[in-house]
Amino acid sequence: MNHYETVFILNPVLSEDQIKETVKKYEDILVSNGAKMISKEDWGLKKLAYAIQHKKSGFYHLFEYQVAGEAINPLEVEFRRDERIMRYLTVRLDKHAIAWAEKRRTRNKQKA
């Protein structure tokens, strides 16, 4: 099982309920494909560096999880089909990135 991180940007015109529903949908897709969720972060509404689909902001979400590599393709196909998703990026983490992600999670827990 590989360690992955996926960041996706949701359309800023969505309601809070629609955002929760969308995030839950993608979490369910991962779990149904055998993923072990490590962390989920809601980064909130952020200004974009450049306009995407004539929008200047978006709701950012991050998933960190472990799953076999074959489970990534169905997730990304679903991202492409969903008009609520403006952009997404999935990366496989190496040992240094995993250590850094753990530090980030610890730091975020201390802030909360």
Side-chain angles (χ1 to χ4, degrees):
M1 296 239 297
N2 295 322
H3 207 108
Y4 291 96
E5 217 174 54
T6 298
V7 176
F8 55 97
I9 307 171
L10 294 167
N11 198 318
V13 299
L14 298 175
S15 71
E16 196 170 321
D17 290 336
Q18 290 172 316
I19 291 169
K20 287 179 183 175
E21 174 189 314
T22 305
V23 171
K24 178 81 172 118
K25 171 186 173 183
Y26 290 104
E27 182 181 354
D28 291 345
I29 288 171
L30 283 169
V31 171
S32 69
N33 284 318
K36 176 185 168 209
M37 296 300 287
I38 295 170
S39 144
K40 293 178 289 193
E41 295 179 22
D42 175 4
W43 293 348
L45 185 66
K46 301 256 185 213
K47 185 178 178 197
L48 302 173
Y50 55 90
I52 300 173
Q53 300 170 0
H54 305 290
K55 310 278 190 305
K56 296 184 183 203
S57 61
F59 290 102
Y60 281 69
H61 285 272
L62 171 107
F63 286 165
E64 187 181 338
Y65 52 95
Q66 287 181 326
V67 73
E70 301 82 43
I72 300 301
N73 195 38
L75 175 71
E76 292 191 345
V77 166
E78 200 57 41
F79 277 145
R80 281 186 224 114
R81 289 180 179 163
D82 196 337
E83 61 191 27
R84 299 172 291 190
I85 303 293
M86 293 168 45
R87 287 284 191 278
Y88 65 91
L89 177 66
T90 300
V91 292
R92 184 171 155 245
L93 303 179
D94 63 6
K95 63 182 180 179
H96 304 293
I98 292 169
W100 185 86
E102 195 163 320
K103 284 181 191 173
R104 186 190 70 236
R105 280 196 311 272
T106 313
R107 186 176 60 238
N108 287 345
K109 284 181 185 173
Q110 290 173 351
K111 286 182 181 179

